[in-house]
Structures are given as C-alpha cells and as structure tokens.
Amino acid sequence: MINDKKEDFFENVRLTEKEDSVVILDQTELPNKEMYSELKGIDDFYRAISALQVRGAPAIGICAGFAMAVEAKRLSLIPNLSEEKFFEEIHKAKCYLDSARPTAVNLSRMTDRVEKTALMNAGKGLSEIAGICIRESRLIQSEDSEMCSKIAEYGLSLVKSGDGILTHCNAGPLATSRYGTGLGSLFLGKERGYEFHVYSDETRPLMQGARLTSYELNRAGIDVTVICDNMASIVMKQGKINACFVGCDRVAANGDTANKVGTSGVAVLAKHYGIPFYVFCPSSTIDFDCPTGEDIVIEERGEEEISALYFEKPIVPIGVKCYNPAFDVTDGELITAIVTEKGICRAPYKESLCKLFGK
Ligand code: MRU
C-alpha cells in the first residue's frame, strides 16, 4: 500500500480556499529557504513558471491548470461580461501561459484541457463555468498524484535494495504532485525498507540536482551524493551505478525524449557502460502529435544563468557569448524503457507506446 500521509510531501502548488489564488513553494529559493508565494493574476503565474519558481513538467501543468481556473473565476465576477468576451479572454490567457515555457508539453496540454472544459459548458453562465474550471483544475492535480503513485510502483520493480541510482535534474515531488516520476520509486522504496545510494548530477546551469533532488531525498532519509555533471562517467566506471532514473518534459511518438540538458549525455554514457537507462513519465507528457525528437521545440534561456547566476562574481569574461539550451533530446534507442502509469514500454517505442495507450 502506498503511504498516503500527504504531509510527508511538499505542497508545492496549492489552490487557496477562496479559489482565487494559488500558493507555490518558490523553488528558486531552495534549499536555503522554504518560501511560499501567492499567485493571483495571470502575470504572476506567467512569471512564476518562466522564472522556474514552479518547475518540472507535471507541476508546470498543474499550476497552469489552476491559473486558467483562477482567471475564469476572476472573469466570471466582472459585471455584465458576455460569454463571448469571457471565452476570448480565456483563450488569450491560455496562449500567454503556453508561451512561458515551450518544451514541457504538460503546460499547453493542461491549459487546453481547462479551456476545452469551459467551452464544452458554454451557455451555462459564467459563474457555473468558472466552478467547473476549478473542479477540472483540481482533477488535474489529483490525477497526477495517482499517476505518480503507479509510476513509482512500476519503477520499483526494476531495481533492488542496495542499488546505486544516478539521476539528472529533479523529477521528485517538487516537480509533480507527490512521489514524483523519476524519483518516485526511490521514495516508495524507502517506505518499504529499501536502501538506495543515489548519485544526483548537480545539473548545470540551474542546479536542480544539487539544490532540489538532494534536498528532497535527504529530507526523506535517502542516501544521496551530489556529483558535478562531468563526474557521471567516473561513478559509472567505478561500478557505483546500477541504473539511471530520469524524468522528462516531452516524449515524442517514436520514444525520443526531451529532458533537462545533459540527460542525453548520461544516456550515451550509460549505454557505453551497459547500465540501464530508464525514463519516467505520466501519459500527460507523451505527445503522440510530435513524431520525433526533431519536432520538439527546445527552450533557450538567458546567458546569465551560465555566466553569473550562482556565482559571487561572473565566471565568464564580459562580452563572451554563452549558449543556454534548457533541454536536450535523448534518442529512443538509448532508452532501456519508458515507465508510465499504465506500464513499462520498451523499444520499438512507436509500437509499444501506441499499444499501451490505445492510439
Ligand atoms: O527546467 P526544469 O527544471 O523545469 O526541467 C525539469 C526537468 O527537466 C525534469 O526532469 C522534468 O520536467 C521531469 S519532472 C517530473
């Protein structure tokens, strides 16, 4: 049985009781401060998502779903607003939110879901439509939590107590709703008495591995060691790693997978050393409309994240260019299996993903 004591996990995205705002745990402040911020207007949501205060594909989707619902409620309270104008504004909000981060498909998928739910209920009056949007956004969050629990169960069947696991970026509860995807099996295993030795790549430039993964695992009493990204090869060669576990932001129909930049390098190394490389995701991250990794838009972020953000003084000479793609694509052929809430898919992914999800 999965432990459902919710207080063991972070409440990283929460719709407030009044249902007119959302409180997020600001991930840019971790691990030094557990600071919560309230998001009210659509600009607050856009900023929080693009600044990575809330991050990780499923968590972005959950937050954006709530953003749409909160916006629907705000619009419903405007006196004499027509349904036509309401839907026009809802669509504007969706497009604006979607532009905050292009790679994680969960974002546009969840804004789409709330917008479509609203449209399906056209004619019922704005207050009722807004209420339906709120319910739908809560459903997005609870469904994610259920999917993560199932993914954790499947993932646990791939490892044994005592294993060394290498992970990249952060795919834990902070990035989702509860257990997480790539880290979910480790939390679940801990509850069942497994001991894992986790190596967390620091994940340059934004340090999600050093700041967030180590924080979550350490807090749960799971043995975690942070390594620089360029140390993955040595720990693999030394026999410390039995499996690599990572999350993802979009899976193309052929199994090519976008995740935090550096992930594909880990997969190449894992193949070289004969170590299984597992990708974890809920079905909300699989994009059957995207044929291959070539079709995934890779977000490019500011140069200062490389040159200055986490340093007292800039580490790159002024005027020297930096290139900062936030994600890379791991070719499906490097992936041992894709672990979803419905089961575990193996290559050829074009067939196995379609079969599992009835496409
Ligand atoms: O830029 P981020 O921190 O949002 O990138 C997140 C990742 O790459 C995660 O690995 C991915 O979203 C999976 S989260 C379960």
Side-chain angles (χ1 to χ4, degrees), residues 76-331:
S76 76
L77 297 173
I78 299 175
N80 304 322
L81 189 77
S82 68
E83 270 204 14
E84 197 188 345
K85 183 72 183 159
F86 172 87
F87 284 118
E88 200 183 301
E89 291 298 317
I90 283 291
H91 187 64
K92 253 200 242 163
K94 178 209 156 30
C95 297
Y96 180 45
L97 289 166
D98 289 356
S99 69
R101 298 199 74 191
T103 306
V105 68
N106 304 60
L107 172 56
S108 56
R109 188 161 273 169
M110 296 313 154
T111 54
D112 206 44
R113 179 166 158 181
V114 177
E115 183 184 24
K116 284 206 172 107
T117 305
L119 282 165
M120 268 160 39
N121 288 283
K124 290 190 175 165
L126 297 190
S127 150
E128 190 168 340
I129 296 172
I132 292 169
C133 290
I134 297 276
R135 281 203 292 285
E136 192 66 20
S137 64
R138 285 193 190 281
L139 203 59
I140 290 171
Q141 190 171 39
S142 59
E143 281 176 8
D144 185 72
S145 177
E146 276 168 38
M147 289 192 286
C148 286
S149 298
K150 290 181 182 155
I151 292 168
E153 288 282 4
Y154 283 116
L156 200 55
S157 71
L158 299 169
V159 282
K160 56 181 190 325
S161 186
D163 276 355
I165 310 289
L166 186 129
T167 189
H168 191 80
C169 196
N170 170 261
L174 285 168
T176 61
S177 49
R178 283 199 66 203
Y179 282 88
T181 55
L183 301 184
S185 314
L186 308 180
F187 289 103
L188 184 61
K190 177 72 188 170
E191 287 171 14
R192 296 186 180 164
Y194 287 55
E195 291 299 334
F196 293 115
H197 307 289
V198 184
Y199 288 83
S200 172
D201 282 352
E202 61 181 352
T203 318
R204 277 277 281 151
L206 293 177
M207 306 295 186
Q208 290 92 333
R211 296 186 301 108
L212 310 175
T213 296
S214 68
Y215 184 66
E216 287 180 331
L217 293 174
N218 186 49
R219 193 173 178 268
I222 297 171
D223 177 54
V224 56
T225 305
V226 173
I227 57 172
C228 298
D229 295 336
N230 52 7
M231 295 170 191
S233 176
I234 187 169
V235 292
M236 288 185 186
K237 193 166 188 170
Q238 287 170 340
K240 293 185 162 84
I241 307 300
N242 300 93
C244 302
F245 278 17
V246 297
C248 59
D249 286 74
R250 191 182 297 238
V251 179
N254 70 344
D256 290 350
T257 293
N259 191 47
K260 181 52 53 194
V261 69
T263 303
S264 72
V266 174
V268 170
L269 289 172
K271 182 155 186 151
H272 177 75
Y273 290 111
I275 297 167
F277 181 89
Y278 297 114
V279 169
F280 293 72
C281 67
S283 47
S284 51
T285 308
I286 303 170
D287 188 356
F288 286 99
D289 295 332
C290 178
T292 73
E294 299 269 303
D295 306 294
I296 301 176
V297 177
I298 300 293
E299 175 184 4
E300 205 178 313
R301 297 184 61 87
E303 299 186 27
E304 72 295 344
E305 290 182 350
I306 292 179
S307 62
L309 188 62
Y310 285 109
F311 303 94
E312 247 172 57
K313 293 179 190 165
I315 57 157
V316 176
I318 309 287
V320 171
K321 287 177 288 184
C322 297
Y323 172 50
N324 187 11
F327 300 92
D328 62 21
V329 173
T330 301
D331 298 335

Side-chain angles (χ1 to χ4, degrees), residues 18-20 68-77 130 134:
K18 284 188 171 168
E19 300 175 326
D20 60 356
M68 291 290 287
V70 165
E71 179 66 357
K73 178 155 183 181
R74 185 190 72 79
L75 291 167
S76 76
L77 297 173
I134 297 276

